[in-house]
Amino acid sequence: MKQLISESAIQSRVKSIGTLIQKDFQGEPVTVIGVLTGCLIFLSDLVRQLNLPVRIFFLRASSYRGNTTVPGNLEVDSSMLPDIQGKNILLIDDILDSGQTLAKLTKHLKEKGCGSIRTAVLLRKLGRQQHAIEPDYCGFEIPDEFVIGYGLDYNDEYRNLPFIGVLDPNQLPKGKS
């Protein structure tokens, strides 16, 4: 496996993003909403950089199933969310690929009446975006490769890696890349 982004580079960038968020929210309370499951490590490292009143909740949105590396229909489960009416929201996701997830979730949260919404992604995959959405905070722009580690998975494995790696194409099932 090829290492794309080192653990130290990730930690440095997460700290920088935390500083930007801290400045932008200026002490205001923020409701952090993480997109399960890929955001867990990024979210946990990022919120520890924030000296703000923070509430943390999760929702599930997924377009990948099993050992596929090609997105399908987006399924959203927001049953774990509290009332967000008038709240400042920070939506955190692991990767901006096609933009489908962030676009749909941003619209969904606005329809629930949030006061403001900002988005943070660890990675932005270049050359794949189909929906016009710009994250407010982005860790790294990466090439169009299938990445794993630091929360990102392949068939529910590799999330625990402390770095971002590119999965060897020989490890992918035929016809699934």
Side-chain angles (χ1 to χ4, degrees), residues 81-126:
L81 292 183
D83 178 15
I84 60 167
Q85 186 81 28
K87 304 291 185 196
N88 294 320
I89 303 296
L90 176 61
L91 179 64
I92 298 179
D93 202 1
D94 55 359
I95 189 166
L96 173 58
D97 191 331
S98 71
Q100 174 183 229
T101 302
L102 273 187
K104 185 170 185 175
L105 293 180
T106 300
K107 181 181 178 199
H108 178 74
L109 295 171
K110 285 178 181 176
E111 289 171 352
K112 288 188 162 286
C114 66
S116 70
I117 186 165
R118 295 190 185 191
T119 58
V121 297
L122 176 64
L123 305 172
R124 181 181 199 159
K125 193 176 283 191
L126 298 175

Side-chain angles (χ1 to χ4, degrees), residues 127-152:
R128 301 263 307 202
Q129 196 164 336
Q130 299 170 354
H131 297 267
I133 187 162
E134 289 296 319
D136 296 288
Y137 314 98
C138 178
F140 303 91
E141 291 186 339
I142 63 169
D144 185 8
E145 297 185 273
F146 195 84
V147 291
I148 54 173
Y150 198 73
L152 290 99

